[in-house]
Amino acid sequence: MPTHSDPKPLSPLARKAAVLLLAILFITPAKAQSTKHWVFFADKAGATQAEAGVLTPEALERRALRGGEIDSYDDAPVAERYLTALRTLGVEPVRTSRWLNAASAWMTPAERAAVETLPFVQSTRPVGVSDPAAVDVVEAVFTPLPAAGPLALDYGESETQLALMNAIEPLEQGFNGAGVR
């Protein structure tokens, strides 16, 4: 008669595979159909950069140095009450963008439909996905002009791209972006 022995413990890899399999089996069909979308808001709910204190003194100095505008509206963060409203619907924001005035979140079709009915939601749009197989590869047709003299640095594979941007000469003169934020 066969004897029963204690089962051998699972290896870490087998344990991870078992957990993954269980997770796949128990995902609800609705959540399995969720996709990541941007939710664009209609306004900033009255927020201003000055009220939010978003820009540091260093950021203000950089903008003044480069002639950049200080736009209190665009610099204000996404309205927290809008993010709270999304959470109330079961939609958890993943990222926010104050410049897009938007938040990304995983949503089922039903959740997306509910979010689109909110009065402060301007629109929703799927988050773009990069598919390397869908990108056409174009062979380089640009041949950089020979340098006037020997180059101080070896730019390797990036020499063509740098030459297209006319970046080699400034790099050779020591302009490399150090200290620039």
Side-chain angles (χ1 to χ4, degrees), residues 13-95:
L13 182 60
R15 199 170 332 167
K16 287 179 184 176
V19 169
L20 180 62
L21 179 61
L22 287 172
I24 290 171
L25 291 174
F26 290 103
I27 289 177
T28 62
K31 281 296 180 188
Q33 296 174 3
S34 68
T35 54
K36 198 172 188 182
H37 282 74
W38 279 109
V39 178
F40 294 93
F41 302 111
D43 58 34
K44 296 272 187 150
T48 66
Q49 172 267 334
E51 294 167 355
V54 183
L55 296 180
T56 63
E58 294 83 7
L60 293 169
E61 186 178 319
R62 284 192 304 273
R63 287 197 183 178
L65 177 67
R66 290 172 182 80
E69 288 185 31
I70 298 172
D71 186 338
S72 61
Y73 183 81
D74 285 341
D75 291 323
V78 171
E80 187 58 41
R81 68 180 183 159
Y82 294 170
L83 302 176
T84 300
L86 293 179
R87 290 182 188 103
T88 301
L89 293 175
V91 175
E92 184 61 37
V94 177
R95 297 275 184 263

Coordinates of all heavy atoms in Angstrom, one line a residue, residues 13-95:
L13 N 9.8 30.2 -8.0 CA 9.2 30.4 -9.4 C 7.9 29.7 -9.5 O 6.9 30.3 -10.0 CB 10.2 29.8 -10.4 CG 9.7 30.0 -11.9 CD1 9.6 31.5 -12.2 CD2 10.7 29.4 -12.8
A14 N 7.7 28.5 -9.0 CA 6.5 27.8 -9.1 C 5.4 28.5 -8.2 O 4.3 28.5 -8.6 CB 6.7 26.3 -8.6
R15 N 5.8 29.0 -7.1 CA 4.9 29.7 -6.2 C 4.4 31.0 -6.9 O 3.2 31.3 -6.9 CB 5.6 30.1 -4.9 CG 4.7 30.5 -3.8 CD 5.5 30.6 -2.5 NE 6.7 29.8 -2.6 CZ 7.7 29.8 -1.7 NH1 7.7 30.6 -0.7 NH2 8.7 29.0 -1.9
K16 N 5.3 31.7 -7.6 CA 4.8 32.9 -8.3 C 3.9 32.5 -9.4 O 2.9 33.2 -9.7 CB 6.1 33.7 -8.9 CG 6.9 34.4 -7.9 CD 8.1 35.1 -8.5 CE 8.9 35.8 -7.4 NZ 10.1 36.3 -8.0
A17 N 4.2 31.4 -10.1 CA 3.3 31.0 -11.2 C 1.9 30.6 -10.7 O 0.9 30.9 -11.3 CB 3.9 29.8 -11.9
A18 N 1.9 30.0 -9.5 CA 0.6 29.6 -8.9 C -0.2 30.8 -8.5 O -1.4 30.9 -8.7 CB 0.8 28.7 -7.7
V19 N 0.5 31.8 -7.9 CA -0.2 33.0 -7.5 C -0.8 33.8 -8.8 O -1.9 34.2 -8.8 CB 0.7 33.9 -6.7 CG1 0.1 35.3 -6.5 CG2 1.0 33.3 -5.4
L20 N 0.0 33.8 -9.8 CA -0.4 34.5 -11.1 C -1.6 33.8 -11.6 O -2.6 34.4 -12.1 CB 0.7 34.5 -12.1 CG 0.4 35.2 -13.4 CD1 0.0 36.6 -13.2 CD2 1.6 35.1 -14.3
L21 N -1.6 32.4 -11.7 CA -2.7 31.7 -12.2 C -4.0 31.9 -11.4 O -5.0 32.1 -11.9 CB -2.4 30.2 -12.2 CG -3.5 29.2 -12.7 CD1 -3.8 29.6 -14.1 CD2 -3.0 27.8 -12.6
L22 N -3.9 31.9 -10.1 CA -5.0 32.2 -9.2 C -5.5 33.6 -9.5 O -6.8 33.8 -9.5 CB -4.7 32.0 -7.7 CG -4.5 30.6 -7.3 CD1 -3.9 30.5 -5.9 CD2 -5.8 29.8 -7.4
A23 N -4.6 34.6 -9.6 CA -5.1 36.0 -9.9 C -5.8 36.0 -11.2 O -6.9 36.7 -11.3 CB -3.9 36.9 -9.9
I24 N -5.3 35.3 -12.2 CA -6.0 35.4 -13.5 C -7.4 34.7 -13.4 O -8.4 35.2 -14.0 CB -5.1 34.7 -14.6 CG1 -3.9 35.5 -14.9 CG2 -5.9 34.4 -15.8 CD1 -2.9 34.8 -15.7
L25 N -7.5 33.6 -12.7 CA -8.8 32.9 -12.5 C -9.8 33.7 -11.8 O -11.0 33.6 -12.1 CB -8.6 31.6 -11.8 CG -7.8 30.5 -12.6 CD1 -7.5 29.3 -11.8 CD2 -8.5 30.2 -13.9
F26 N -9.4 34.6 -10.8 CA -10.3 35.3 -10.0 C -10.5 36.7 -10.4 O -11.3 37.4 -9.7 CB -9.9 35.2 -8.5 CG -10.1 33.8 -8.0 CD1 -9.0 32.9 -7.9 CD2 -11.4 33.3 -7.8 CE1 -9.2 31.6 -7.4 CE2 -11.6 32.0 -7.3 CZ -10.5 31.1 -7.1
I27 N -9.9 37.2 -11.5 CA -10.2 38.6 -11.9 C -11.6 38.6 -12.5 O -12.0 37.7 -13.2 CB -9.2 39.0 -13.0 CG1 -7.8 39.2 -12.5 CG2 -9.7 40.3 -13.7 CD1 -6.8 39.6 -13.5
T28 N -12.4 39.6 -12.0 CA -13.8 39.7 -12.5 C -13.7 40.0 -14.0 O -12.8 40.8 -14.5 CB -14.5 40.8 -11.8 OG1 -13.9 42.0 -12.0 CG2 -14.6 40.5 -10.3
P29 N -14.7 39.5 -14.8 CA -14.7 39.9 -16.2 C -14.7 41.4 -16.5 O -14.1 41.8 -17.4 CB -15.9 39.2 -16.7 CG -16.2 38.1 -15.8 CD -15.7 38.6 -14.4
A30 N -15.4 42.2 -15.7 CA -15.5 43.6 -15.9 C -14.1 44.2 -15.7 O -13.7 45.0 -16.6 CB -16.4 44.2 -14.9
K31 N -13.4 43.9 -14.7 CA -12.0 44.5 -14.5 C -11.1 44.0 -15.6 O -10.1 44.6 -15.9 CB -11.5 44.2 -13.1 CG -12.1 45.1 -12.0 CD -11.7 46.5 -12.3 CE -12.3 47.4 -11.2 NZ -12.1 48.8 -11.5
A32 N -11.3 42.8 -16.1 CA -10.4 42.2 -17.1 C -10.5 43.1 -18.4 O -9.6 43.1 -19.2 CB -10.7 40.8 -17.4
Q33 N -11.6 43.7 -18.5 CA -11.8 44.5 -19.8 C -11.4 46.0 -19.6 O -11.7 46.8 -20.4 CB -13.3 44.5 -20.2 CG -13.8 43.1 -20.5 CD -15.3 43.1 -20.8 OE1 -15.9 44.1 -20.7 NE2 -15.8 41.9 -21.1
S34 N -10.8 46.3 -18.5 CA -10.4 47.7 -18.2 C -9.3 48.1 -19.1 O -8.4 47.3 -19.4 CB -10.1 48.0 -16.8 OG -8.9 47.3 -16.4
T35 N -9.3 49.4 -19.5 CA -8.2 49.9 -20.3 C -7.8 51.3 -19.7 O -8.6 51.9 -19.0 CB -8.6 50.1 -21.8 OG1 -9.8 50.9 -21.8 CG2 -8.8 48.8 -22.5
K36 N -6.6 51.7 -20.0 CA -6.1 53.0 -19.4 C -6.5 54.1 -20.3 O -6.3 54.1 -21.5 CB -4.6 52.9 -19.2 CG -4.0 53.9 -18.2 CD -2.6 53.6 -18.0 CE -2.0 54.5 -16.9 NZ -0.5 54.2 -16.8
H37 N -7.1 55.1 -19.6 CA -7.6 56.3 -20.4 C -7.1 57.6 -19.7 O -6.9 57.6 -18.4 CB -9.1 56.3 -20.4 CG -9.7 55.4 -21.4 ND1 -9.7 54.1 -21.3 CD2 -10.2 55.7 -22.6 CE1 -10.3 53.5 -22.3 NE2 -10.6 54.5 -23.2
W38 N -7.0 58.6 -20.4 CA -6.8 60.0 -19.9 C -8.2 60.5 -19.7 O -9.1 60.4 -20.5 CB -6.1 60.9 -20.9 CG -4.6 60.7 -20.8 CD1 -3.8 60.2 -21.8 CD2 -3.7 61.2 -19.8 NE1 -2.5 60.2 -21.4 CE2 -2.4 60.8 -20.2 CE3 -3.9 61.8 -18.6 CZ2 -1.3 61.1 -19.4 CZ3 -2.8 62.0 -17.8 CH2 -1.5 61.7 -18.2
V39 N -8.4 61.2 -18.6 CA -9.7 61.9 -18.3 C -9.3 63.4 -18.3 O -8.5 63.8 -17.4 CB -10.3 61.5 -16.9 CG1 -11.5 62.3 -16.6 CG2 -10.5 60.0 -16.8
F40 N -9.8 64.2 -19.2 CA -9.5 65.6 -19.4 C -10.6 66.4 -18.7 O -11.8 66.2 -18.9 CB -9.4 66.0 -20.8 CG -8.2 65.3 -21.5 CD1 -8.4 64.1 -22.2 CD2 -7.0 65.9 -21.5 CE1 -7.3 63.5 -22.8 CE2 -5.9 65.3 -22.1 CZ -6.1 64.1 -22.8
F41 N -10.1 67.3 -17.8 CA -11.1 68.1 -17.0 C -11.3 69.4 -17.7 O -10.5 70.0 -18.4 CB -10.6 68.3 -15.6 CG -10.3 67.0 -14.9 CD1 -9.0 66.6 -14.6 CD2 -11.3 66.2 -14.6 CE1 -8.8 65.4 -14.0 CE2 -11.1 65.0 -13.9 CZ -9.8 64.6 -13.6
A42 N -12.5 70.0 -17.5 CA -13.0 71.2 -18.2 C -12.3 72.4 -17.7 O -12.1 73.4 -18.4 CB -14.5 71.3 -18.1
D43 N -11.9 72.4 -16.4 CA -11.3 73.6 -15.8 C -10.4 73.2 -14.6 O -10.3 72.0 -14.3 CB -12.4 74.6 -15.3 CG -13.3 74.0 -14.3 OD1 -12.9 73.1 -13.5 OD2 -14.5 74.4 -14.4
K44 N -9.9 74.1 -13.9 CA -9.0 73.9 -12.8 C -9.8 74.1 -11.4 O -9.1 74.2 -10.4 CB -7.8 74.8 -12.8 CG -6.9 74.5 -14.0 CD -5.9 73.4 -13.6 CE -4.9 73.3 -14.8 NZ -3.6 72.9 -14.4
A45 N -11.1 74.3 -11.5 CA -11.9 74.5 -10.3 C -11.4 75.7 -9.5 O -11.4 75.6 -8.3 CB -11.9 73.2 -9.5
G46 N -11.1 76.8 -10.2 CA -10.7 78.0 -9.5 C -9.3 78.0 -8.9 O -8.9 79.0 -8.3
A47 N -8.5 77.0 -9.1 CA -7.2 77.0 -8.6 C -6.2 77.9 -9.3 O -6.4 78.1 -10.5 CB -6.6 75.6 -8.6
T48 N -5.3 78.5 -8.6 CA -4.3 79.3 -9.3 C -2.9 78.9 -8.8 O -2.8 78.3 -7.7 CB -4.4 80.8 -9.0 OG1 -4.2 81.0 -7.6 CG2 -5.8 81.3 -9.4
Q49 N -1.9 79.1 -9.5 CA -0.5 78.8 -9.1 C -0.2 79.5 -7.8 O 0.4 78.9 -6.9 CB 0.4 79.1 -10.2 CG 1.9 79.0 -9.9 CD 2.5 80.2 -9.4 OE1 2.1 81.3 -9.7 NE2 3.5 80.1 -8.5
A50 N -0.6 80.7 -7.7 CA -0.2 81.5 -6.5 C -0.9 80.8 -5.2 O -0.2 80.7 -4.2 CB -0.7 82.9 -6.6
E51 N -2.1 80.4 -5.4 CA -2.8 79.7 -4.3 C -2.2 78.4 -3.9 O -2.0 78.0 -2.8 CB -4.3 79.5 -4.6 CG -5.1 80.8 -4.7 CD -6.4 80.5 -5.4 OE1 -6.7 79.4 -5.8 OE2 -7.2 81.5 -5.5
A52 N -1.8 77.7 -5.0 CA -1.3 76.3 -4.8 C 0.2 76.4 -4.4 O 0.7 75.4 -3.8 CB -1.4 75.5 -6.0
G53 N 0.9 77.5 -4.7 CA 2.3 77.5 -4.4 C 3.1 76.5 -5.1 O 4.1 75.9 -4.6
V54 N 2.8 76.2 -6.4 CA 3.4 75.2 -7.2 C 4.8 75.5 -7.6 O 5.6 74.6 -7.5 CB 2.5 74.9 -8.4 CG1 3.0 73.7 -9.2 CG2 1.1 74.6 -8.0
L55 N 5.0 76.7 -8.1 CA 6.3 77.0 -8.6 C 7.3 77.4 -7.5 O 7.0 78.3 -6.7 CB 6.2 78.1 -9.7 CG 5.4 77.8 -10.9 CD1 5.4 78.9 -11.9 CD2 6.0 76.5 -11.6
T56 N 8.4 76.8 -7.5 CA 9.5 77.1 -6.6 C 10.1 78.4 -7.0 O 10.0 78.8 -8.2 CB 10.5 76.0 -6.5 OG1 11.2 76.0 -7.8 CG2 9.9 74.7 -6.1
P57 N 10.8 79.1 -6.1 CA 11.5 80.3 -6.5 C 12.5 80.0 -7.6 O 12.7 80.9 -8.5 CB 12.3 80.7 -5.2 CG 11.4 80.2 -4.1 CD 10.9 78.9 -4.6
E58 N 13.1 78.8 -7.6 CA 14.1 78.5 -8.7 C 13.4 78.4 -10.0 O 13.9 78.8 -11.0 CB 14.8 77.2 -8.3 CG 15.7 77.2 -7.1 CD 15.0 77.0 -5.8 OE1 13.7 76.7 -5.8 OE2 15.6 77.2 -4.8
A59 N 12.2 77.8 -10.0 CA 11.4 77.7 -11.3 C 11.0 79.1 -11.8 O 11.1 79.3 -13.0 CB 10.2 76.8 -11.0
L60 N 10.6 79.9 -10.9 CA 10.3 81.3 -11.3 C 11.5 82.0 -11.9 O 11.4 82.7 -12.9 CB 9.7 82.1 -10.1 CG 8.4 81.6 -9.6 CD1 8.0 82.3 -8.3 CD2 7.3 81.8 -10.6
E61 N 12.7 81.8 -11.3 CA 13.9 82.4 -11.8 C 14.3 81.9 -13.2 O 14.6 82.6 -14.1 CB 15.0 82.1 -10.8 CG 16.3 82.8 -11.1 CD 17.4 82.5 -10.1 OE1 17.1 82.5 -8.9 OE2 18.6 82.3 -10.5
R62 N 14.1 80.5 -13.4 CA 14.4 80.0 -14.7 C 13.5 80.5 -15.8 O 13.9 80.8 -16.9 CB 14.3 78.4 -14.7 CG 15.4 77.7 -14.0 CD 15.3 76.2 -14.2 NE 14.1 75.6 -13.8 CZ 13.8 75.2 -12.6 NH1 14.8 75.3 -11.6 NH2 12.7 74.6 -12.3
R63 N 12.2 80.7 -15.4 CA 11.3 81.2 -16.4 C 11.6 82.7 -16.7 O 11.5 83.1 -17.9 CB 9.8 81.1 -15.9 CG 9.4 79.7 -15.9 CD 7.9 79.6 -15.8 NE 7.5 78.2 -15.8 CZ 6.3 77.9 -15.6 NH1 5.3 78.7 -15.5 NH2 5.9 76.6 -15.6
A64 N 12.0 83.5 -15.7 CA 12.3 84.9 -16.0 C 13.6 84.9 -16.8 O 13.7 85.7 -17.7 CB 12.6 85.6 -14.6
L65 N 14.6 84.1 -16.6 CA 15.8 84.0 -17.3 C 15.5 83.7 -18.8 O 16.1 84.3 -19.7 CB 16.7 83.0 -16.8 CG 18.1 82.8 -17.5 CD1 18.9 84.0 -17.4 CD2 18.8 81.6 -16.9
R66 N 14.6 82.8 -19.1 CA 14.3 82.4 -20.5 C 13.1 83.1 -21.1 O 12.7 82.7 -22.2 CB 14.1 80.9 -20.5 CG 15.5 80.2 -20.2 CD 15.3 78.7 -20.0 NE 16.5 78.0 -19.7 CZ 17.1 78.0 -18.5 NH1 16.5 78.6 -17.5 NH2 18.3 77.4 -18.4
G67 N 12.6 84.1 -20.4 CA 11.4 84.8 -20.9 C 10.2 84.0 -20.9 O 9.2 84.3 -21.7
G68 N 10.1 82.9 -20.1 CA 8.9 82.1 -20.1 C 7.8 82.8 -19.3 O 8.0 83.6 -18.4
E69 N 6.5 82.5 -19.7 CA 5.4 83.1 -19.0 C 5.2 82.4 -17.7 O 5.5 81.2 -17.5 CB 4.1 82.9 -19.9 CG 4.1 83.8 -21.1 CD 2.8 83.6 -21.8 OE1 1.7 83.3 -21.1 OE2 2.8 83.8 -23.0
I70 N 4.6 83.1 -16.8 CA 4.2 82.5 -15.5 C 2.7 82.5 -15.6 O 2.1 83.6 -15.4 CB 4.8 83.3 -14.3 CG1 6.3 83.3 -14.4 CG2 4.2 82.8 -13.0 CD1 7.0 84.2 -13.3
D71 N 2.2 81.4 -15.9 CA 0.7 81.3 -16.1 C 0.1 80.6 -14.9 O 0.2 79.4 -14.8 CB 0.4 80.5 -17.4 CG -1.0 80.5 -17.8 OD1 -1.9 80.7 -16.8 OD2 -1.4 80.2 -18.9
S72 N -0.5 81.3 -14.1 CA -1.0 80.7 -12.8 C -2.0 79.6 -13.1 O -2.2 78.7 -12.3 CB -1.6 81.8 -11.9 OG -2.6 82.5 -12.5
Y73 N -2.8 79.7 -14.2 CA -3.8 78.8 -14.5 C -3.2 77.4 -14.9 O -3.5 76.4 -14.4 CB -4.7 79.3 -15.6 CG -5.9 78.3 -15.8 CD1 -7.0 78.3 -15.0 CD2 -5.8 77.4 -16.9 CE1 -8.0 77.4 -15.3 CE2 -6.8 76.6 -17.2 CZ -7.9 76.5 -16.4 OH -9.0 75.7 -16.6
D74 N -2.3 77.5 -15.9 CA -1.7 76.2 -16.4 C -0.8 75.5 -15.3 O -0.7 74.3 -15.3 CB -0.9 76.5 -17.6 CG -1.7 76.7 -18.9 OD1 -2.9 76.3 -18.8 OD2 -1.2 77.3 -19.8
D75 N -0.2 76.3 -14.5 CA 0.7 75.7 -13.5 C -0.1 75.2 -12.3 O 0.5 74.4 -11.5 CB 1.7 76.8 -13.0 CG 2.7 77.1 -14.0 OD1 3.1 76.2 -14.8 OD2 3.1 78.3 -14.1
A76 N -1.3 75.5 -12.1 CA -2.1 75.0 -11.0 C -2.3 73.5 -11.2 O -2.4 73.0 -12.3 CB -3.4 75.7 -10.9
P77 N -2.3 72.7 -10.1 CA -2.5 71.3 -10.1 C -3.9 70.9 -10.5 O -4.8 71.8 -10.5 CB -2.2 70.8 -8.7 CG -2.5 72.0 -7.9 CD -2.1 73.2 -8.7
V78 N -4.1 69.7 -10.9 CA -5.5 69.2 -11.1 C -6.3 69.3 -9.9 O -5.8 69.0 -8.8 CB -5.4 67.7 -11.6 CG1 -6.8 67.1 -11.7 CG2 -4.7 67.6 -12.9
A79 N -7.5 69.7 -10.0 CA -8.4 69.9 -8.8 C -8.5 68.6 -8.0 O -9.0 67.6 -8.6 CB -9.7 70.5 -9.2
E80 N -8.2 68.6 -6.8 CA -8.3 67.5 -5.9 C -9.7 67.0 -5.8 O -10.0 65.8 -5.7 CB -7.7 67.8 -4.5 CG -7.7 66.6 -3.6 CD -6.8 65.4 -4.2 OE1 -5.7 65.7 -4.7 OE2 -7.2 64.2 -4.0
R81 N -10.7 67.9 -5.8 CA -12.1 67.4 -5.7 C -12.5 66.6 -7.0 O -13.4 65.7 -6.9 CB -13.0 68.6 -5.5 CG -13.2 69.6 -6.6 CD -14.1 70.7 -6.3 NE -14.3 71.6 -7.4 CZ -15.3 72.4 -7.6 NH1 -16.2 72.5 -6.7 NH2 -15.3 73.1 -8.7
Y82 N -11.9 66.9 -8.1 CA -12.2 66.1 -9.3 C -11.6 64.7 -9.1 O -12.3 63.7 -9.5 CB -11.6 66.7 -10.6 CG -12.2 68.0 -10.9 CD1 -11.7 68.8 -11.9 CD2 -13.4 68.5 -10.3 CE1 -12.2 70.0 -12.3 CE2 -14.0 69.7 -10.7 CZ -13.4 70.5 -11.7 OH -13.9 71.7 -12.0
L83 N -10.4 64.6 -8.6 CA -9.8 63.3 -8.4 C -10.6 62.5 -7.3 O -10.8 61.3 -7.5 CB -8.4 63.4 -7.9 CG -7.4 64.2 -8.9 CD1 -6.1 64.4 -8.3 CD2 -7.4 63.5 -10.2
T84 N -11.1 63.2 -6.3 CA -11.9 62.5 -5.3 C -13.2 62.0 -5.9 O -13.7 60.9 -5.6 CB -12.3 63.5 -4.2 OG1 -11.0 63.9 -3.6 CG2 -13.1 62.9 -3.1
A85 N -13.8 62.7 -6.8 CA -15.0 62.3 -7.5 C -14.8 61.0 -8.3 O -15.6 60.1 -8.4 CB -15.6 63.4 -8.4
L86 N -13.6 61.0 -9.0 CA -13.3 59.7 -9.7 C -13.2 58.6 -8.8 O -13.7 57.5 -9.1 CB -12.0 59.9 -10.5 CG -11.9 60.9 -11.6 CD1 -10.5 61.0 -12.2 CD2 -12.9 60.6 -12.7
R87 N -12.5 58.8 -7.6 CA -12.4 57.7 -6.7 C -13.7 57.2 -6.1 O -13.9 56.0 -5.9 CB -11.5 58.1 -5.5 CG -10.0 58.3 -5.9 CD -9.1 58.7 -4.7 NE -7.8 59.0 -5.2 CZ -7.3 60.2 -5.3 NH1 -8.1 61.3 -5.0 NH2 -6.1 60.4 -5.7
T88 N -14.7 58.1 -6.0 CA -16.0 57.8 -5.5 C -16.7 56.8 -6.5 O -17.5 56.0 -6.1 CB -16.9 59.1 -5.4 OG1 -16.2 59.9 -4.4 CG2 -18.3 58.8 -4.9
L89 N -16.4 57.0 -7.8 CA -16.9 56.1 -8.8 C -16.1 54.8 -8.9 O -16.4 53.9 -9.8 CB -16.9 56.8 -10.2 CG -17.8 57.9 -10.3 CD1 -17.6 58.6 -11.7 CD2 -19.3 57.5 -10.2
G90 N -15.1 54.6 -8.1 CA -14.3 53.4 -8.1 C -13.1 53.5 -9.1 O -12.5 52.5 -9.4
V91 N -12.8 54.7 -9.6 CA -11.8 54.9 -10.6 C -10.6 55.5 -9.8 O -10.7 56.6 -9.3 CB -12.2 55.8 -11.7 CG1 -11.1 56.1 -12.7 CG2 -13.4 55.1 -12.5
E92 N -9.5 54.8 -9.8 CA -8.3 55.3 -9.0 C -7.3 55.9 -10.0 O -6.8 55.3 -10.9 CB -7.6 54.1 -8.3 CG -6.4 54.6 -7.5 CD -6.8 55.5 -6.3 OE1 -7.9 55.4 -5.8 OE2 -6.0 56.5 -6.1
P93 N -7.1 57.3 -9.9 CA -6.2 57.9 -10.8 C -4.7 57.3 -10.6 O -4.3 57.1 -9.5 CB -6.2 59.4 -10.3 CG -7.5 59.5 -9.7 CD -7.8 58.2 -9.0
V94 N -4.1 57.1 -11.8 CA -2.7 56.6 -11.8 C -1.7 57.7 -11.8 O -0.8 57.8 -11.0 CB -2.5 55.6 -13.0 CG1 -1.1 55.1 -13.0 CG2 -3.5 54.5 -12.9
R95 N -1.9 58.6 -12.7 CA -1.0 59.8 -12.9 C -1.9 61.0 -13.1 O -3.0 60.9 -13.7 CB -0.1 59.7 -14.1 CG 0.9 58.5 -14.0 CD 2.1 59.0 -13.3 NE 3.1 57.9 -13.3 CZ 3.3 57.1 -12.3 NH1 2.5 57.1 -11.3 NH2 4.2 56.1 -12.4

